[in-house]
Amino acid sequence: MSKYISALFFFIAFSGVVKSQDLKDNFYVKALSQELNRNIERLHLPELSKPFLITYKLRNNYNYVIRAERGHITSTVKEPSVSKTALVKLLVGDYHRNFDYMQYGGFPVTLPDEDSADEIRRILWLETDRAYKNTAQQYNATLAALKRVTVDEKELALDDISKITPIVKDYGSVSPISFDRKKWEDILTELSRMFNGNPELTTTYCQLNFNNFEDYTVSSEGAIIRQPSQSVSFTAYANTTDEEGNNFNEGYAFYAKDIAELPSLETLKNEINKIIASIKNSKKAQKFEEAYLGPVLFTEEAVPGLLQNMFGNSLVTRRKSIMGYDYGNNDYEDKLGQKLVSTDLTVTALPKLASFNGKPTTGSFQVDDEGVVPPDSLVLIKNGILKSLLNGRTPTQKFSKSQGFVKSFGGRVLNPGVLKVSSASTIPADSMKQRLIKIAREDGLPFAYIVNQRDYTNADLFRVDVKTGLKTLVKNCRISNFNIRSLRRFATASNKQVLSNMPNMSIISPQSLIINEVEIEKQNKTVKPKPTIVSNPLLDKKIATSRGSKAKK
Amino acid sequence: MKILRALICLALLLTCLNEIRAQDQFYSFLKDELQREYQQLKTADNRLYYMSYRVDDIKSYRISSSFGVINSIDSSRMRIFSPIIRIGDYKLDNTHGSMFGQIPASLPVTDDEDLVKLALWKSTDAAYKNAAQVYEKILTDKKVRVTEEDTAADFSPAKRVNHFDPSINYNALKPDLTKLAERVAGFTAILKQNPDLLTGNGMVEFKITRKYFVDTDGSSIIENSTGTWLSITGNTKADDGMDLPLYQMYFFYLPADLPSVDSVTKDVKNMRAKLNALRKSKIADPFVGPAILSGRAAGVFFHEIFGHRLEGKRMKSEYDGQTFKTRLGTSVLPSFLSISMDPTIKKVGHTDVNGFYLFDDEGVQAEKINVVEDGILKNFLMTRTPINGVSGSNGHARTAPGGVPESRQSNLVVIGKHNKADAELRQLLVAEAKKQGKDYGYLFQNVQGGFTTTGRTSPNAFNVLPIEVYKIFADGRPDELVRGVDLIGTPLSMFNRIIASGDKPEIFNGMGGAGSGWVPVSATSPAIFVDVIETQKKSKSNDRLPVLPRPDLDK
């Protein structure tokens, strides 16, 4: 037994070594490492501090867009594009004082398509030299400026960047974009042609976007990482204006990791038909003229739209500038332990969750863009109480270490990856409308409202008659004064959790939810563009064609 | 096998026929939609009196390289739509005094009638609304301002033109990108061998343009053109921080006509050696004294100090310096110099020149204009916008795709009489330097370009940007390469200082920039001897040389 365990241990350890050695032998890693080592060891100007931290990143990017309009492929680029970008981040000073959070997240440069270690290194060499001179200048200038002000001791005591345990890990590569182009061109052509029967729709398209990339990170701290990313999206859009100059548009978007996950042709056809019907209905909809304060049922796309707005990028730490700049952002760190939203709501970041109910998530990641592995789960709000915040390597008073949530190639954008919002109070999905009516009736309201669009603040709404339960579409309204505090008036949610994928983020949430005391008012647009003077050429053609066919008869 | 080959040929033929049919259809879409729009807009607003549609359909191939490596190989196709709407009348319309206000748009690259017409319809509406708003403002301005100096009309009639170039066979014109990439990478690899170079880049760009023009006066034009640029750039840095770039540029209509590998290799090696010499050269101090401008330098000099001041439409503006507006028929240059602007030529001698076109961007046939004959100013570069004393376009309305056509240059050709050989020009310079008590004069051998200001609100000066300048010593010492010199001056004071011209014309092909964007131009001139020029120090970077050596040399 002991032999077996030893052998197994040896195998695991050895395979780990082989993997990390494979990564160290990777062409890009070698080029980045060689240039990085040379610079961290020898880049130094007399009487200036040496750089103490250099990070190189390299992104191999594969992009492709196919667009179809009115039954024709209109994108002119016929092959996926391949590009490479590098990013140089260099810090002068030490971990405690380097003003990192006051500087750019890095300096981007374009690399040649052809793989050449000499060229990659030459470009990095020039950019590192430039970054060093700029950063050293800024560092000294900021140190000098600090002498003019008195800074809160506690803020001054914070490090400017936290130390990490660097990882050497290969999370895999991505392949160049590969799919059945002819099949998808035919699908897009067919779908986009569905708009042709509606000549009043003057802008219409269907589009497929691919974006695959692999990021390499090499740092003077010892990190060597390769991580892949793959995404594909289908979007459809239509737009028209009426005789009064009112604009109507409707869209559909589906995000996935792989083209095989996109909906079937029949589903996509249904979505196109929904877009057409929605615009027609919107044109005919009644205008919202009153003011409303009462319960609103958020459903379909409005739910991830709302939750992304409320929690997506806002529950994050913010470092106060010691130079006194105030960006006016909400500082949630002071509110930790306090009630932020309804006690029924719990919000959790699940950055590594690769799938939900068998459906891949588009937002998940294994390591963040600062080389830190995030936890499997981080509770941000528990039973309405703010428990934690997303952060990266910039320390703040209550978060000295990175939790690994920076997700941007050259910036410091914090992202939960996968965000789960759950409710302690749920009812069956098919009871939600009845509950909405019940709450409205109890409030003495004749109507209640339902919203189902992602841009919920400016969407058309369904007005529900409390007496009859009948729904009527209304337009020219907006949900106002709605912010995270509005979720204190959360009433209930449906008992079914669903996954909504978006670019770079996924949200797992109840399918629908009701919030009380939502304000709705009419749009106060006093100006709108005049309608187009000349008649729509498609309508003219339709008239000419019908006249022609009548004449023939 | 024969059947297969025949089928392939048939398929290719059908593809070509489809492409050709699509190009003809696109023209008819433009024409039909223009008529439809004009009729309906005219009914809605009877002040509308003229409309035109211009579309630049551009297919581009680009290859870039650095230090022997291929950076990218790209191709793209785009259609840029420029509607012109004129509201008012010939005397006063919405374009009065304006060089801007165009609302360009991109059109889909498709032969689908509905998509093309929808895009035209939307852009035309925006252009009409913009024109109507501007016209109202102009009417108000007229009421609150004093009478303008130039009372000529805003627009003039032009001869109706119908010209149709054949459809383009894009497949036949497609260059061998792999071969071109190998060539340009080979040239930039030569630069890598110079350890002092920080960058060594190359670019090949081949553009195929099919330009469509239709207007409500009944003109219809389809004109094809092509242009190929090969540029090689090397950049080093002096110890004092001065960036020292050198360029080698070649223009030809077709990629197949680019110079041989051996010929470009020789030029690039020569440039590589000059960059080394430049690094070691001294910075020149500001100077006033005699100089020789090589043919290329003189071409840019005439383009800047003279050509821009003959652009008729800009003289309508009271903000313009109007250097020559009242000088027609008078002496403006030494009597041994004549200058023409000739967009009708594709070559000067055996060299392709970049300013050729058949029709300008207002649909007027291009004409050769002798602007200066024996030193006497004879004509201006005119668009359909007249100025006091000069009316009628001579086909020089030009713009970058999407811009408002302005009076612009084309192929500028300077011709001298009583020309002198290089040695004679040098003798003149030495003699003049001695006469002025100077140790040396300057030879401006090569330039990267230049610029000038023609307005009234700032000094009416020019600046030619030399990149290869030599001191020629009066005492016979060898010539000395110097750096950091810009050739400056004010135009009127310069003209009488031109003493002699050389006997060999040289050609500068480039892009001319002004209010209407970048347009292809050329300048051909013999070398000139000027008895007094002025130089100033060139602005320079203060950045140190990189701390570490270039990675490939850091062994």
Side-chain angles (χ1 to χ4, degrees):
Chain A
M1 185 63 184
S2 68
K3 273 185 187 171
Y4 172 78
I5 290 170
S6 304
L8 185 65
F9 173 78
F10 177 76
F11 174 75
I12 291 168
F14 182 72
S15 66
V17 170
V18 168
K19 270 208 153 182
S20 73
Q21 190 56 50
D22 284 351
L23 186 59
K24 284 174 184 168
D25 288 341
N26 175 283
F27 168 79
Y28 298 113
V29 170
K30 271 172 87 170
L32 297 177
S33 301
Q34 284 169 358
E35 194 51 32
L36 187 139
N37 292 339
R38 196 170 78 104
N39 278 278
I40 198 71
E41 284 165 16
R42 292 162 50 200
L43 183 60
H44 185 208
L45 279 169
E47 296 171 35
L48 279 181
S49 303
K50 280 186 73 171
F52 77 94
L53 174 59
I54 300 177
T55 305
Y56 288 159
K57 288 184 173 205
L58 184 149
R59 175 168 285 186
N60 261 336
N61 216 356
Y62 305 92
N63 282 298
Y64 193 34
V65 178
I66 314 179
R67 186 181 176 106
E69 296 170 76
R70 304 188 63 81
H72 297 267
I73 298 296
T74 53
S75 44
T76 54
V77 178
K78 301 298 177 197
E79 298 294 333
S81 71
V82 183
S83 61
K84 290 190 189 78
T85 312
L87 193 86
V88 175
K89 177 169 173 163
L90 178 149
L91 294 177
V92 169
D94 55 28
Y95 280 92
H96 177 60
R97 190 85 317 132
N98 51 65
F99 308 110
D100 171 50
Y101 65 96
M102 292 164 67
Q103 298 170 23
Y104 293 118
F107 298 90
V109 280
T110 303
L111 298 178
D113 289 353
E114 188 181 336
D115 283 336
S116 158
D118 273 2
E119 269 306 276
I120 290 173
R121 290 188 59 187
R122 184 185 65 82
I123 292 163
L124 289 171
W125 161 62
L126 288 174
E127 195 52 36
T128 310
D129 189 84
R130 202 182 66 78
Y132 173 53
K133 288 164 183 167
N134 274 359
T135 309
Q137 245 176 349
Q138 279 184 30
Y139 172 75
N140 282 0
T142 314
L143 276 182
L146 256 186
K147 291 176 183 164
R148 297 180 53 164
V149 293
T150 305
V151 183
D152 182 312
E153 286 299 322
K154 280 200 292 186
E155 287 300 318
L156 210 52
L158 287 174
D159 285 346
D160 285 350
I161 187 167
S162 62
K163 287 185 180 161
I164 58 168
T165 306
I167 59 168
V168 178
K169 183 141 184 166
D170 189 354
Y171 291 92
S173 59
V174 288
S175 306
I177 294 161
S178 165
F179 69 108
D180 187 342
R181 192 171 87 188
K182 171 78 173 59
K183 175 187 156 189
W184 275 96
E185 283 185 348
D186 289 347
I187 289 174
L188 291 173
T189 303
E190 185 180 349
L191 292 170
S192 69
R193 194 181 290 122
M194 289 173 67
F195 292 113
N196 289 12
N198 300 275
E200 70 281 4
L201 300 178
T202 52
T203 302
T204 58
Y205 65 82
C206 294
Q207 190 166 297
L208 202 58
N209 283 50
F210 294 87
N211 183 213
N212 293 359
F213 58 83
E214 58 187 11
D215 284 348
Y216 293 84
T217 304
V218 175
S219 81
S220 58
E221 292 171 315
I224 303 177
I225 300 164
R226 175 167 72 171
Q227 56 176 326
S229 174
Q230 189 175 320
S231 66
V232 60
S233 68
F234 171 86
T235 48
Y237 176 82
N239 173 279
T240 187
T241 49
D242 66 10
E243 299 72 21
E244 293 173 15
N246 295 306
N247 193 42
F248 300 90
N249 57 67
E250 186 64 67
Y252 166 77
F254 189 95
Y255 301 93
K257 285 185 91 74
D258 190 276
I259 193 160
E261 298 161 25
L262 291 185
S264 68
L265 179 60
E266 284 313 304
T267 307
L268 293 175
K269 281 182 178 175
N270 282 340
E271 294 297 338
I272 303 288
N273 283 328
K274 274 193 213 168
I275 290 174
I276 296 167
S278 172
I279 288 182
K280 283 183 178 169
N281 291 337
S282 185
K283 284 177 88 170
K284 289 187 288 189
Q286 290 176 18
K287 283 186 180 172
F288 182 91
E289 297 290 356
E290 63 273 26
Y292 176 82
L293 178 64
V296 170
L297 170 60
F298 291 79
T299 183
E300 298 175 45
E301 289 298 301
V303 178
L306 178 147
L307 298 176
Q308 187 188 19
N309 265 5
M310 296 299 128
F311 304 123
N313 302 106
S314 59
L315 298 179
V316 298
T317 59
R318 294 191 201 283
R319 174 71 175 259
K320 291 178 181 126
S321 168
I322 56 172
M323 296 308 296
Y325 307 130
D326 181 4
Y327 299 105
N329 294 314
N330 205 339
D331 190 352
Y332 284 111
E333 199 162 323
D334 295 340
K335 299 181 177 72
L336 281 167
Q338 294 180 12
K339 183 182 166 187
L340 199 64
V341 296
S342 161
T343 50
D344 283 337
L345 290 175
T346 294
V347 180
T348 312
L350 301 166
K352 294 181 186 167
L353 189 75
S355 67
F356 178 76
N357 287 345
K359 201 173 151 191
T361 55
T362 52
S364 63
F365 58 91
Q366 300 303 308
V367 59
D368 84 348
D369 286 327
E370 291 184 328
V372 178
V373 177
D376 291 343
S377 165
L378 178 69
V379 176
L380 299 168
I381 294 173
K382 187 168 187 184
N383 300 332
I385 309 294
L386 183 63
K387 292 289 182 187
S388 190
L389 296 169
L390 306 177
N391 79 328
R393 292 188 65 179
T394 302
T396 55
Q397 291 299 333
K398 293 177 183 169
F399 296 89
S400 59
K401 295 287 176 197
S402 171
Q403 298 178 102
F405 285 97
V406 169
K407 283 308 286 176
S408 55
F409 186 61
R412 296 186 189 83
V413 178
L414 294 159
N415 184 335
V418 180
L419 191 77
K420 185 179 179 189
V421 179
S422 52
S423 166
S425 152
T426 61
I427 58 173
D430 55 9
S431 308
M432 291 294 280
K433 188 178 155 196
Q434 283 83 352
R435 176 63 65 90
L436 173 77
I437 289 170
K438 182 171 179 284
I439 297 170
R441 194 181 290 129
E442 285 168 4
D443 286 354
L445 295 165
F447 304 113
Y449 287 87
I450 299 175
V451 57
N452 65 0
Q453 292 176 12
R454 186 166 291 245
D455 180 14
Y456 57 93
T457 50
N458 291 299
D460 291 349
L461 304 176
F462 288 99
R463 177 193 286 149
V464 183
D465 189 312
V466 167
K467 284 182 189 162
T468 63
L470 286 175
K471 289 198 302 184
T472 316
L473 191 69
V474 291
K475 61 185 176 187
N476 282 24
C477 44
R478 68 186 184 101
I479 292 178
S480 58
N481 299 319
F482 197 84
N483 54 37
I484 204 162
R485 284 192 304 278
S486 307
L487 296 182
R488 284 170 170 254
R489 299 187 294 274
F490 167 82
T492 191
S494 69
N495 58 2
K496 190 181 173 191
Q497 292 276 108
V498 290
L499 170 70
S500 303
N501 277 325
M502 288 168 268
N504 308 319
M505 195 187 292
S506 302
I507 291 183
I508 298 165
S509 67
Q511 203 170 29
S512 56
L513 40 93
I514 297 171
I515 298 170
N516 268 322
E517 296 178 36
V518 176
E519 280 185 63
I520 303 172
E521 52 189 40
K522 66 179 176 183
Q523 293 272 14
N524 285 322
K525 280 185 188 166
T526 52
V527 178
K528 56 189 172 192
K530 288 249 183 184
T532 308
I533 295 162
V534 174
S535 57
N536 176 340
L538 305 188
L539 287 169
D540 271 9
K541 187 177 158 187
K542 196 175 171 186
I543 292 163
T545 312
S546 73
R547 273 185 197 145
S549 59
K550 273 181 191 168
K552 273 184 192 170
K553 282 175 192 170
Chain B
M1 192 63 189
K2 278 183 182 171
I3 294 171
L4 181 66
R5 201 175 296 155
L7 283 172
I8 292 169
C9 290
L10 186 63
L12 284 172
L13 183 66
L14 286 173
T15 309
C16 290
L17 286 174
N18 278 340
E19 177 66 50
I20 287 163
R21 194 162 47 237
Q23 291 176 36
D24 291 343
Q25 280 178 340
F26 182 74
Y27 158 74
S28 66
F29 300 157
L30 288 178
K31 198 169 177 184
D32 293 351
E33 187 60 16
L34 178 75
Q35 288 310 321
R36 197 182 76 91
E37 297 276 346
Y38 185 64
Q39 281 168 11
Q40 291 195 35
L41 285 171
K42 181 83 181 160
T43 305
D45 182 351
N46 65 8
R47 302 169 305 172
L48 174 71
Y49 76 99
Y50 175 86
M51 283 175 65
S52 72
Y53 280 175
R54 204 178 66 244
V55 176
D56 292 86
D57 185 337
I58 304 166
K59 170 85 185 174
S60 306
Y61 297 93
R62 273 175 306 275
I63 299 163
S64 78
S65 163
S66 62
F67 276 161
V69 169
I70 295 163
N71 287 342
S72 59
I73 302 176
D74 300 315
S75 68
S76 64
R77 172 106 181 252
M78 60 181 167
R79 285 175 174 159
I80 302 169
F81 173 49
S82 313
I84 297 277
I85 310 269
R86 286 182 178 264
I87 293 172
D89 54 28
Y90 281 90
K91 180 71 185 151
L92 180 73
D93 68 26
N94 55 294
T95 69
H96 186 80
S98 169
M99 290 198 291
F100 305 100
Q102 180 79 298
I103 300 189
S106 64
L107 295 182
V109 182
T110 169
D111 53 356
D112 179 66
E113 179 179 3
D114 290 352
L115 280 172
V116 171
K117 287 190 171 175
L118 272 174
L120 295 171
W121 171 64
K122 290 175 201 169
S123 296
T124 306
D125 186 67
Y128 164 75
K129 285 170 179 164
N130 187 54
Q133 185 181 350
V134 170
Y135 183 59
E136 296 294 338
K137 181 179 180 304
I138 286 165
L139 290 179
T140 309
D141 288 349
K142 278 274 172 195
K143 290 171 191 159
V144 299
R145 291 182 178 169
V146 297
T147 308
E148 289 160 302
E149 290 167 12
D150 192 300
T151 54
D154 284 336
F155 200 46
S156 62
K159 194 178 151 192
R160 183 182 301 171
V161 179
N162 282 286
H163 173 91
F164 303 95
D165 273 350
S167 299
I168 292 175
N169 183 344
Y170 287 98
N171 285 333
L173 283 171
K174 186 180 176 183
D176 184 338
L177 296 173
T178 311
K179 195 173 157 192
L180 279 175
E182 281 171 11
R183 278 180 74 175
V184 71
F187 300 143
T188 60
I190 297 169
L191 296 174
K192 189 179 177 184
Q193 292 159 12
N194 183 336
D196 289 334
L197 292 202
L198 304 180
T199 61
N201 298 319
M203 167 82 89
V204 181
E205 185 173 48
F206 175 50
K207 270 189 189 172
I208 306 163
T209 303
R210 186 163 168 87
K211 194 177 279 193
Y212 298 83
F213 178 91
V214 289
D215 75 1
T216 48
D217 286 351
S219 284
S220 295
I221 299 163
I222 305 177
E223 183 179 347
N224 301 334
S225 61
T226 58
T228 314
W229 281 98
L230 166 64
S231 63
I232 312 290
T233 312
N235 197 331
T236 186
K237 203 174 181 60
D239 289 342
D240 58 19
M242 182 178 284
D243 288 313
L244 299 167
L246 281 183
Y247 310 87
Q248 203 64 53
M249 311 272 282
Y250 307 88
F251 170 78
F252 286 89
Y253 283 97
L254 292 168
D257 297 332
L258 285 171
S260 69
V261 172
D262 289 348
S263 159
V264 179
T265 300
K266 191 178 159 197
D267 291 346
V268 176
K269 284 183 174 172
N270 189 21
M271 184 173 93
R272 185 180 69 186
K274 273 185 193 161
L275 282 160
N276 268 18
L278 265 177
R279 266 208 81 215
K280 293 171 194 154
S281 64
K282 290 179 188 160
I283 289 187
D285 288 325
F287 173 81
V288 177
I292 294 168
L293 275 66
S294 72
R296 282 171 58 82
V300 173
F301 171 79
F302 282 112
H303 175 92
E304 295 301 340
I305 72 163
F306 204 73
H308 282 304
R309 288 169 174 79
L310 302 180
E311 293 165 348
K313 192 175 170 186
R314 71 169 73 244
M315 294 182 209
K316 208 171 176 63
S317 165
E318 288 175 21
Y319 297 104
D320 187 71
Q322 300 175 351
T323 315
F324 294 123
K325 189 170 182 184
T326 58
R327 302 282 299 272
L328 278 177
T330 67
S331 171
V332 291
L333 281 176
S335 60
F336 62 87
L337 289 176
S338 296
I339 299 180
S340 64
M341 296 284 182
D342 191 355
T344 67
I345 50 171
K346 293 185 93 166
K347 284 178 185 288
V348 171
H350 296 293
T351 307
D352 287 359
V353 285
N354 195 20
F356 168 80
Y357 55 89
L358 289 173
F359 296 91
D360 76 1
D361 290 316
E362 288 183 334
V364 176
Q365 185 146 20
E367 287 177 38
K368 176 186 177 183
I369 306 297
N370 292 320
V371 286
V372 176
E373 290 177 359
D374 302 329
I376 308 296
L377 181 61
K378 293 289 183 184
N379 211 336
F380 296 131
L381 305 177
M382 296 301 294
T383 67
R384 292 181 68 173
T385 300
I387 56 172
N388 278 354
V390 188
S391 187
S393 172
N394 50 32
H396 280 82
R398 303 185 71 197
T399 171
V404 178
E406 295 290 327
S407 298
R408 301 296 296 274
Q409 300 174 65
S410 51
N411 294 312
L412 177 151
V413 181
V414 180
I415 294 174
K417 280 183 191 166
H418 321 304
N419 295 330
K420 299 189 184 309
D422 289 350
E424 292 177 278
L425 290 179
R426 185 177 270 266
Q427 282 170 9
L428 284 173
L429 180 135
V430 169
E432 186 62 34
K434 285 178 180 170
K435 190 174 135 194
Q436 293 180 23
K438 307 281 182 192
D439 288 344
Y440 57 86
Y442 275 130
L443 166 61
F444 294 93
Q445 185 63 45
N446 208 347
V447 294
Q448 69 181 91
F451 61 89
T452 189
T453 50
T454 60
R456 298 180 191 183
T457 51
S458 55
N460 220 283
F462 69 87
N463 196 330
V464 175
L465 306 169
I467 48 176
E468 192 182 343
V469 183
Y470 297 88
K471 278 181 180 173
I472 297 178
F473 290 99
D475 61 8
R477 271 178 284 165
D479 296 351
E480 180 189 348
L481 181 68
V482 294
R483 62 187 169 92
V485 182
D486 278 352
L487 172 56
I488 57 162
T490 47
L492 286 174
S493 64
M494 281 298 295
F495 298 136
N496 293 326
R497 317 303 322 192
I498 303 169
I499 307 299
S501 55
D503 58 358
K504 290 190 293 289
E506 289 179 3
I507 295 157
F508 184 96
N509 276 311
M511 298 295 286
S516 61
W518 296 95
V519 297
V521 292
S522 76
T524 303
S525 172
I528 55 169
F529 167 62
V530 186
D531 65 356
V532 178
I533 55 98
E534 187 175 346
T535 70
Q536 69 178 19
K537 281 194 170 183
K538 197 186 274 294
S539 70
K540 75 168 187 73
S541 156
N542 289 321
D543 291 338
R544 284 169 179 253
L545 278 165
V547 178
L548 299 180
R550 215 171 72 192
D552 58 311
L553 304 170
D554 192 17
K555 304 293 182 193

